[in-house]
């Protein structure tokens, strides 16, 4: 009998140890590295058509001379170079546009393998990340220290990465968003904690405070008033418990996602401002938001945003996903090969199933589609009024793909009524101005940085031509067609690897920030 019991426990132990050992191997398995192309002191692009994103003019057959990633000359006549460390690129028949910026992303500890390569492969050279950390390193989310390190390594050609333009705090969402063991000032339970939070993030070299939905009203007001004293600004969601009008007047510089006007433009809008039951009200009354929508109220808010130069990042991809989650043709996206199985099965699949169920249940059927349709109309209205719109995708939300979704967002913006040039501006010069970096980025001009995309076709004729990439130049490094394909293959191989899936799973479950976000 003792032998049988011993044998039984031995089998149980082996069954436990083997998977544990396999998981441990996956966690410690070394990650692969990408070799960057050679960096040249001087780059000469010959005979290329330059698209002026300010005016839409095409400067035909221009030569662009670049030194240390700075454009020093643009000329229609021949340019000769003496420096032997020079890369010459034949741009005949090609079109040059500024590198694209994605102004709403969520990077994590695995982005160098799963996001950065395909950002560059898609010509996305600038990122505004909307995630952050509290006062210690997180196993999943990254903060300003990691992103600034990535920028530094990009500058010396030790990393394939876009530029992280503006650094974000952790999402400030009230007490429920802060796990146990972290300083209370992150909760903003009272206004006395505001300066402690601002002082902490100032020391972390953060540029803005990411606002989420459930921040207490008085704390938000003081945060908005005091942020500029620390050289910071606020950006993010519309805080639910005060009006969009108040938030705009208090100086929030950008608002994210496509629902901001729907929240404010129906008769029972005050019901969404009750901290105790707003979630239950919203889940039960979504149809009211679209059926009782008042466009005049929305127009007044758009006029206010225009007068205050308040930017809007609609992230249409998120609403499109919610509206299309029941459609097989939408879900069968070829870019899924760039996403880990862990994310697809533990996050995206569950999210898709929940949205598909809502789209096919009688009392909620068609609501998500109406949200998406109205948001598209509002984008055209806001643009016509003069609200500055910026391209953002909400990577890593469900069915948003690093790099690829920027092109989809541009296409969808033109379907809303923007011209091809206007859509192109939302990912180039408008974000550069928002970041106060338009003296360096956003257009192709002498004295600016040469983060460029070389296209095979003219995007002013068809905005989908932004996908027709011949090469990407960033920081004096040229990624040609072959290298761009290698970047895509690299990320696809990493996403399908056992060790990356184990690392992703471990980092998710080990992150207290993720645990409270999912619990909420």
């Amino acid at each position: 009998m003792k032998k049988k019991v011993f044998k039984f426990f031995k089998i149980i132990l082996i069954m436990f140890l083997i998977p544990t050992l396999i998981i441990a191997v996956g966690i410690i398995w070394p990650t692969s590295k990408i070799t960057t192309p050679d960096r040249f002191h001087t780059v000469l692009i010959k005979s290329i058509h330059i698209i002026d994103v300010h005016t839409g003019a095409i400067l035909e057959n221009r030569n662009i001379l670049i030194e240390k990633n700075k454009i020093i000359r643009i000329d229609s006549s021949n340019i000769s170079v003496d420096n032997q460390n020079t890369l010459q690129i034949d741009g005949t028949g090609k079109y040059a546009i500024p590198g694209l910026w994605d102004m709403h992303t969520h990077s994590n500890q695995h982005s160098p393998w799963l996001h950065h390569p395909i950002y560059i492969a898609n010509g996305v050279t600038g990122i505004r990340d909307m995630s952050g950390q509290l006062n210690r390193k997180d196993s999943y989310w990254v903060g300003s220290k990691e992103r600034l390190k990535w920028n530094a390594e990009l500058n010396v050609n030790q990393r394939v990465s876009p530029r992280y333009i503006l650094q974000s705090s952790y999402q400030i969402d009230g007490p429920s968003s802060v796990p146990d063991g972290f300083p209370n000032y992150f909760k903003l339970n009272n206004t006395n904690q505001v300066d402690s939070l601002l002082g902490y993030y100032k020391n972390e070299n953060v540029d803005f405070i990411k606002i989420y939905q459930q921040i207490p009203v008085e704390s938000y007001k003081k945060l908005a008033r005091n942020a500029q004293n620390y050289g910071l600004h606020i950006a993010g969601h519309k805080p639910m418990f005060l009006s969009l009008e108040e938030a705009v007047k208090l100086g929030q510089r950008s608002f994210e996602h496509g629902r901001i006007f729907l929240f404010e433009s129906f008769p029972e809008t005050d019901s969404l401002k009750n901290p105790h039951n707003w979630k239950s009200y919203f889940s039960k009354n979504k149809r009211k938001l679209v059926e009782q929508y008042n466009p005049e109220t929305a127009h007044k808010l758009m006029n206010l945003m225009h007068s205050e130069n308040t930017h809007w990042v609609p992230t249409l991809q998120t609403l499109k996903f919610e509206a299309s989650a029941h459609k097989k043709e939408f879900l069968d996206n070829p870019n899924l090969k760039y996403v880990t199985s862990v994310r697809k099965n533990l996050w995206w699949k569950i999210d898709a199933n929940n949205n598909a169920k809502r789209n096919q249940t009688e009392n909620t059927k068609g609501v998500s589609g109406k949200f998406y349709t109205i948001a598209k109309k509002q984008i055209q209205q806001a643009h016509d009024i003069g609200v500055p719109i910026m391209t953002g995708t909400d990577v890593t939300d469900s069915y948003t793909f690093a790099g690829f979704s920027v092109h989809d967002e541009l296409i969808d913006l033109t379907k809303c009524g923007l011209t091809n040039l206007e859509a192109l501006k939302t990912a180039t010069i408008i974000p550069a101005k928002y970041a106060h970096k338009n003296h360096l980025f956003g257009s192709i001009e002498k004295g600016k940085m040469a983060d460029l995309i070389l296209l095979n076709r003219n995007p002013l004729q068809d905005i989908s031509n932004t996908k027709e990439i011949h090469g990407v130049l960033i920081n004096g490094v040229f990624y040609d067609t072959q290298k761009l394909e290698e970047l895509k293959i690299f990320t696809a191989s990493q996403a399908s690897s056992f060790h990356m899936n184990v690392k992703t799973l471990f980092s998710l479950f080990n992150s207290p920030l993720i645990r409270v976000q999912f619990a909420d």
Side-chain angles (χ1 to χ4, degrees):
M1 182 66 180
K2 289 183 179 179
K3 288 184 178 180
K4 289 183 178 180
V5 172
F6 178 76
K7 185 177 181 180
F8 172 77
F9 281 108
K10 185 178 179 181
I11 292 171
I12 295 295
L13 184 62
I14 291 171
M15 291 175 64
F16 174 77
L17 286 177
I18 290 177
T20 302
L21 181 61
I22 292 172
I23 291 171
V25 169
I27 292 171
I28 65 174
W29 194 269
T31 50
S32 303
K33 292 184 178 181
I34 320 172
T35 57
T36 59
D38 291 336
R39 184 181 185 184
F40 290 85
H41 177 274
T42 306
V43 177
L44 176 60
I45 306 174
K46 297 187 291 186
S47 192
I48 195 164
H49 306 317
I50 299 174
I51 292 180
D52 183 339
V53 294
H54 294 289
T55 66
I58 298 178
L59 309 178
E60 297 184 344
N61 299 314
R62 294 303 201 268
N63 301 307
I64 307 174
L65 183 62
I66 300 155
E67 288 186 0
K68 295 182 179 180
N69 202 44
K70 186 175 182 179
I71 300 172
I72 64 169
R73 185 178 171 189
I74 298 175
D75 209 320
S76 57
S77 59
N78 290 332
I79 298 175
S80 59
V81 289
D82 298 327
N83 194 323
Q84 291 185 347
N85 187 20
T86 298
L87 172 67
Q88 298 195 35
I89 302 169
D90 184 6
T92 303
K94 306 292 189 297
Y95 295 82
I97 63 171
L100 302 173
W101 285 14
D102 188 334
M103 294 298 281
H104 191 121
T105 71
H106 297 281
S107 299
N108 58 53
Q109 300 288 350
H110 309 113
S111 290
W113 300 273
L114 300 177
H115 300 144
H116 295 174
I118 49 177
Y119 276 133
I120 298 301
N122 281 279
V124 177
T125 60
I127 293 292
R128 181 182 65 155
D129 200 74
M130 304 293 288
S131 303
Q133 298 173 345
L134 297 178
N135 67 328
R136 61 175 182 257
K137 184 175 180 179
D138 189 65
S139 64
Y140 182 77
W141 294 121
V142 295
S144 55
K145 289 180 180 177
E146 287 98 336
R147 293 190 294 259
L148 290 170
K149 183 174 182 287
W150 292 341
N151 282 348
E153 291 171 347
L154 167 68
N155 288 337
V156 293
N157 199 29
Q158 293 179 356
R159 178 174 294 279
V160 175
S161 175
R163 300 183 192 280
Y164 281 80
I165 303 300
L166 294 170
Q167 308 308 322
S168 173
S169 71
Y170 178 63
Q171 62 182 42
I172 304 304
D173 196 32
S176 64
S177 68
V178 180
D180 293 338
F182 290 88
N184 281 331
Y185 60 75
F186 289 114
K187 299 178 180 181
L188 291 187
N189 272 320
N190 60 71
T191 57
N192 293 332
Q193 297 170 335
V194 166
D195 285 298
S196 296
L197 182 141
L198 289 169
Y200 170 76
Y201 279 120
K202 175 64 176 178
N203 290 334
E204 291 293 300
N205 294 309
V206 156
D207 297 297
F208 67 97
I209 304 299
K210 163 69 181 293
I211 299 299
Y212 216 64
Q213 295 173 160
Q214 300 182 92
I215 181 171
V217 171
E218 294 306 316
S219 293
Y220 174 87
K221 290 179 178 179
K222 186 171 180 179
L223 189 71
R225 288 193 295 265
N226 288 15
Q228 61 183 349
N229 297 334
Y230 294 82
L232 305 174
H233 65 273
I234 58 174
H237 287 216
K238 187 199 90 67
M240 291 303 297
F241 308 141
L242 75 165
S243 70
L244 178 61
E245 178 181 358
E246 290 176 284
V248 171
K249 288 181 176 178
L250 282 165
Q252 183 164 330
R253 290 196 59 211
S254 80
F255 291 88
E256 315 301 304
H257 309 309
R259 293 193 179 109
I260 60 170
F261 299 111
L262 284 166
F263 287 148
E264 298 286 311
S265 304
F266 76 114
E268 298 177 22
T269 182
D270 287 342
S271 299
L272 285 176
K273 296 179 176 61
N274 186 331
H276 303 293
N277 64 3
W278 77 273
K279 285 186 178 181
S280 61
Y281 179 88
F282 178 63
S283 64
K284 294 175 183 177
N285 295 279
K286 286 183 179 179
R287 192 176 293 277
K288 283 186 178 180
L289 272 69
V290 293
E291 291 182 348
Q292 300 178 19
Y293 166 68
N294 184 343
E296 291 183 3
T297 302
H299 285 187
K300 290 178 182 177
L301 292 168
M302 292 172 186
N303 279 311
L304 175 64
M305 288 179 67
H306 166 57
S307 67
E308 297 293 329
N309 195 36
T310 307
H311 290 58
W312 185 24
V313 186
T315 64
L316 273 171
Q317 302 313 298
T318 57
L319 290 179
K320 182 164 66 174
F321 159 72
E322 292 174 1
S324 308
H326 61 293
K327 299 177 182 177
K328 186 176 185 298
E329 63 272 20
F330 176 84
L331 297 178
D332 291 340
N333 193 306
N335 294 324
L336 285 168
K337 64 186 175 183
Y338 302 109
V339 182
T340 59
S341 295
V342 165
R343 181 173 295 279
K344 284 185 287 191
N345 290 296
L346 294 185
W347 190 325
W348 290 16
K349 187 176 181 179
I350 295 172
D351 199 10
N353 289 341
N354 289 338
N355 278 281
K357 184 178 180 179
R358 281 192 287 270
N359 292 345
Q360 295 170 312
T361 300
E362 188 59 34
N363 64 332
T364 54
K365 189 175 183 178
V367 174
S368 293
K370 289 180 178 180
F371 266 82
Y372 181 44
T373 298
I374 290 179
K376 287 190 289 185
K377 290 179 180 178
Q378 290 173 342
I379 287 172
Q380 177 63 71
Q381 293 162 354
H383 176 266
D384 289 345
I385 286 171
V387 177
I389 293 171
M390 300 190 293
T391 292
T393 62
D394 211 2
V395 171
T396 56
D397 209 353
S398 299
Y399 278 78
T400 55
F401 302 92
F404 297 95
S405 288
V406 166
H407 302 284
D408 295 334
E409 190 79 3
L410 292 175
I411 292 169
D412 288 346
L413 287 173
T414 64
K415 291 179 180 178
C416 295
L418 276 68
T419 67
N420 295 334
L421 174 62
E422 289 167 346
L424 199 58
K425 287 182 177 183
T426 69
T428 55
I429 192 62
I430 294 175
K433 288 179 179 177
Y434 175 91
H436 301 304
K437 294 183 183 295
N438 52 306
H439 62 294
L440 294 174
F441 301 101
S443 60
I444 303 175
E445 300 176 61
K446 181 180 177 181
K448 290 195 174 185
M449 305 294 281
D451 290 357
L452 310 175
I453 312 173
L454 278 56
L455 300 173
N456 291 314
R457 295 184 177 87
N458 183 0
L460 298 184
Q461 292 182 349
D462 186 338
I463 196 62
S464 66
N465 286 340
T466 58
K467 299 180 180 181
E468 300 292 328
I469 299 176
H470 174 73
V472 175
L473 185 68
I474 180 172
N475 204 48
V477 176
F478 184 62
Y479 293 84
D480 60 19
T481 304
Q482 179 180 342
K483 188 64 179 178
L484 296 178
E485 189 61 30
E486 288 176 5
L487 295 179
K488 294 176 184 178
I489 292 171
F490 175 86
T491 290
S493 67
Q494 293 298 300
S496 64
S497 69
F498 173 76
H499 72 87
M500 185 56 71
N501 277 275
V502 171
K503 287 178 172 65
T504 300
L505 184 64
F506 179 78
S507 70
L508 281 167
F509 280 100
N510 201 42
S511 167
L513 305 185
I514 285 290
R515 289 197 295 270
V516 296
Q517 287 167 13
F518 272 92
D520 193 41

